[in-house]
Amino acid sequence: MQRITNFTKSNEYRSVIHDLIPGGAHTYSRGDDQFPALSPAAISHGKGAYVWDIDGNKYLDCPMGLTSVSLGHAYEPVLERVRAELAKGVNFQRPSYIEREMAETFLSLVPQHQMIKFAKNGSTVTTAAVKLARGYTGRKLIAFPGDHPFYSFDDWFIGKTPCNLGVPDEISALSVTYKGCDIDSLRELFNQYPGQIAAVITEPERNACGNGCGCPYGKEAPKRFLQEAIELAHNEGALFIVDEMITGFKTHFPGTIVKYGIEPDLTTWGKGIANGFSFCALTGRKEVMELGGIRNKGAEKLFLISSTHGGETHAIAAGLATISEFMKHNVVAHNHAIGERFIARNREVIARHGLSDYIEVVPAQWMPIMIFKDANGEVSSGLRTLVMQEMIARGVLFQGAFVPCFSHTEDDVEFFAEAMGETLEVFVRALENGFEQYLVGEPVKPVFRKVL
Ligand SMILES: Cc1ncc(COP(=O)(O)O)c(C=O)c1O
């Protein structure tokens, strides 16, 4: 296979960017400490399932813009709709007509909910859901699964991570954690804080669930846990929030709550719903959402999301075009078929190299992940970084998760499997001799670390 070795412009970019932008990027998970030294520092453009770096190197894209690009980069039917909207202007003093069109369209997909509010970021909508729950219940505490990776850049979530500098302890104390998919640990939390928890928030399922997380529900896990957790929360007087930021338009169309007929009070949406454009949404039961309204004369007003750019028309148009493509082509079925093929082909390649004990392919067809272990069976960030380095050298931008999109083809999966086959020859040697012999630079580091 080809070898990518020229990172000249990337190295120059890396040498200046940290003087200009703290972290060198606007998202920590896009930062230099999340990639090997031999990697692109910045992307110049993308088309379909491919991206090009600033040195002109071309890569098969696997993470797809932090999972946000569900159809493909620069996907023409979305661009067409966006261009048409851009030509009409993007921001007005009163709402644009397109806000009603989107509200009616999106809510028609989510029969559980009657009202919707838009935003530009996922963190904005999860934080808005938390605020609504506090306003509705008059309680302070928010419960989330402490073993899940991310819910918001706001203090209610970040205060509970090791990376909590700048968040007062009083704020961190208002969030409490339970173990994901573990109803007993959630029940314990309600017993520990009687009458104090305003809401439970959780992702409805995670790709790791594809492995069977060892919980007593087995394959029924996401659905039964969600049903029992909602019942428990409601019995305890708390609201239940489902965060479909990652699962939305991936596990199902529009998401897991519709797949399983789950009835949370509030649900948050983002990432893949507008093919990478900045459009996110909070949907919910009318009675709760109406708290953010202005027509109940005499009622106390709750200041819900209110921002200059929340109704930006071209991003809403991108969302409408994305929804239309998902409906026209059954995109979810395509993406799942690609995910299935990815799982099968890579398991074959791994078995051929005798590495089935060291590399797991988690069978979540909507977003398969690979987990790399060392000779002692411990998950190894050094080996994962080495795999990233070797895959990048062969033209594949891969960090461990493969996010199927409508532009990925079976040929792309074959290309990936071929690159993985060659990479595993290095992996076998690294298992014996240590990854340090083969990795240039440092292993990637956790985003949420206390000390740099
Ligand atoms: C489950 C989940 N919720 C919320 C967010 C926040 O979304 P955003 O990055 O758009 O603020 C993320 C982002 O990764 C997420 O994965």
Side-chain angles (χ1 to χ4, degrees):
M1 291 186 89
Q2 58 160 345
R3 287 298 167 90
I4 292 174
T5 54
N6 177 19
F7 296 110
T8 311
K9 288 186 180 154
S10 274
N11 290 337
E12 191 274 333
Y13 187 99
R14 268 186 276 267
S15 74
V16 298
I17 198 65
H18 293 270
D19 286 328
L20 299 169
I21 300 171
H26 298 288
T27 324
Y28 284 108
S29 41
R30 288 187 166 106
D32 285 338
D33 56 2
Q34 301 306 302
F35 287 86
L38 300 180
S39 67
I43 300 299
S44 77
H45 64 288
K47 186 72 192 166
Y50 287 81
V51 291
W52 284 259
D53 72 14
I54 50 178
D55 284 290
N57 301 311
K58 177 184 177 186
Y59 305 92
L60 173 66
D61 195 1
C62 302
M64 299 307 299
L66 303 170
T67 83
S68 70
V69 180
S70 43
L71 294 165
H73 297 289
Y75 186 81
E76 197 49 44
V78 174
L79 294 186
E80 237 171 65
R81 179 85 206 250
V82 168
R83 280 189 209 106
E85 212 55 53
L86 281 173
K88 297 188 218 162
V90 298
N91 211 327
F92 312 110
Q93 188 65 19
R94 299 232 63 203
S96 158
Y97 80 99
I98 203 172
E99 297 182 38
R100 175 177 172 182
E101 187 180 342
M102 174 54 97
E104 288 176 341
T105 304
F106 207 96
L107 287 169
S108 74
L109 304 174
V110 187
Q112 292 91 328
H113 291 157
Q114 300 78 42
M115 295 187 93
I116 185 165
K117 194 88 178 161
F118 308 151
K120 305 304 286 179
N121 289 295
S123 295
T124 310
V125 284
T126 51
T127 297
V130 161
K131 184 173 193 181
L132 265 180
R134 284 176 167 152
Y136 185 81
T137 60
R139 298 174 176 184
K140 291 183 183 166
L141 302 188
I142 300 299
F144 64 81
D147 49 347
H148 283 193
F150 195 61
Y151 283 97
S152 179
F153 56 57
D154 285 316
D155 291 354
W156 67 268
F157 177 76
I158 296 298
K160 229 45 190 181
T161 70
C163 198
N164 58 1
L165 181 65
V167 183
D169 292 343
E170 292 85 341
I171 305 268
S172 307
L174 297 177
S175 291
V176 290
T177 57
Y178 64 98
K179 188 166 174 286
C181 241
D182 182 338
I183 197 73
D184 291 334
S185 87
L186 184 59
R187 194 172 288 116
E188 235 167 71
L189 215 50
F190 276 112
N191 291 339
Q192 201 180 337
Y193 300 102
Q196 297 171 64
I197 297 177
V200 178
I201 181 168
T202 183
E203 290 189 79
E205 57 186 306
R206 298 191 35 73
N207 45 8
C209 293
N211 234 9
C213 53
C215 76
Y217 303 122
K219 283 209 177 309
E220 289 278 288
K223 183 179 182 183
R224 280 200 37 215
F225 171 76
L226 289 167
Q227 285 169 335
E228 290 183 16
I230 289 175
E231 197 183 337
L232 173 61
H234 286 171
N235 287 343
E236 296 285 344
L239 296 191
F240 202 90
I241 306 162
V242 167
D243 182 357
E244 295 254 25
M245 211 65 61
I246 291 187
T247 49
F249 289 28
K250 290 192 183 63
T251 56
H252 189 76
F253 180 68
T256 300
I257 62 164
V258 171
K259 177 172 71 172
Y260 291 143
I262 301 294
E263 305 216 345
D265 301 286
L266 298 164
T267 301
T268 53
W269 309 86
K271 297 209 185 246
I273 69 173
N275 200 38
F277 281 86
S278 180
F279 172 71
C280 300
L282 168 68
T283 61
R285 285 200 295 116
K286 191 181 183 93
E287 190 195 350
V288 182
M289 294 288 281
E290 188 64 63
L291 262 190
I294 54 168
R295 63 183 172 176
N296 282 345
K297 292 231 160 34
E300 193 176 348
K301 178 174 173 178
L302 180 141
F303 204 83
L304 197 52
I305 308 162
S306 174
S307 69
T308 303
H309 300 287
E312 202 177 31
T313 57
H314 73 281
I316 295 175
L320 283 168
T322 302
I323 290 169
S324 156
E325 289 298 290
F326 266 73
M327 290 170 96
K328 217 187 300 170
H329 302 295
N330 198 351
V331 174
V332 168
H334 168 91
N335 292 356
H336 286 192
I338 291 290
E340 292 281 5
R341 181 134 187 108
F342 178 93
I343 293 159
R345 284 295 288 118
N346 284 289
R347 282 183 166 172
E348 276 167 31
V349 172
I350 290 162
R352 202 171 69 230
H353 285 81
L355 290 170
S356 301
D357 290 341
Y358 303 98
I359 305 176
E360 267 181 76
V361 186
V362 177
Q365 91 255 89
W366 55 278
M367 186 166 51
I369 39 175
M370 292 171 80
I371 298 170
F372 303 95
K373 296 181 186 162
D374 63 19
N376 301 318
E378 301 291 332
V379 173
S380 165
S381 64
L383 285 168
R384 181 164 72 90
T385 315
L386 178 64
V387 168
M388 287 165 67
Q389 170 187 290
E390 297 302 312
M391 293 295 277
I392 285 169
R394 290 163 179 82
V396 181
L397 196 58
F398 176 66
Q399 292 171 283
F402 182 82
V403 183
C405 81
F406 196 51
S407 296
H408 281 123
T409 64
E410 291 200 351
D411 284 350
D412 292 329
V413 175
E414 285 310 306
F415 178 63
F416 183 103
E418 195 187 338
M420 185 53 73
E422 287 193 9
T423 293
L424 293 189
E425 285 162 27
V426 184
F427 191 96
V428 167
R429 280 180 265 139
L431 262 187
E432 259 179 42
N433 306 323
F435 68 82
E436 298 86 351
Q437 304 285 322
Y438 307 94
L439 177 66
V440 177
E442 304 256 307
V444 299
K445 304 205 171 61
V447 167
F448 294 113
R449 59 191 191 277
K450 186 83 185 160
V451 177
L452 290 172

